[in-house]
Amino acid sequence: MTAKLPREVIIFTDGASRGNPGPASFGVVITDPKGKVLLEHNKVLGSQTNNFAEYTALLEGLLAAAEGGAKVVTVKADSQFMIRQMKGEYKVKAPGIIPLYQQCQKVVPMFEAIEFIHIPREENSHADRLANEALDRK
């Protein structure tokens, strides 16, 4: 999934789960600040919770940005719960999510600057579509 990326990128992430838990997947879109799509990625995760899918999407997006050389990152997701956890506003208590959260926290210092922004679902349609396409392919 690694591609050479510019210094500044925006990562859109979304997780999907049909049932909770149930068949799950994620979608990640990385764009430049003007909205040009630089990378798309989606994957089926098996039977998982929606939060697991959301955090897996975040981790995959962060790793791709770091591996691609991005230094200034804005993460946009429609999971208000995940965004607030990453900002330190909510604690992560779910045992199945803690390891993913910790992995995300290890990647964050690789960037010079990072911002986590909650966006409405309709502004995250590309990542949502990728997550659902992965499940539909299965």
Side-chain angles (χ1 to χ4, degrees), residues 57-78:
L58 175 61
L59 180 60
E60 292 284 331
L62 291 173
L63 289 171
E67 291 168 9
K71 297 296 178 193
V72 178
V73 173
T74 302
V75 174
K76 295 186 176 186
D78 59 31

Side-chain angles (χ1 to χ4, degrees), residues 33-51:
K34 293 181 179 178
K36 179 183 176 195
V37 175
L38 305 170
L39 188 144
E40 296 179 327
H41 181 56
N42 63 1
K43 186 176 180 181
V44 174
L45 300 171
S47 183
Q48 293 292 344
T49 65
N50 191 65
N51 278 347

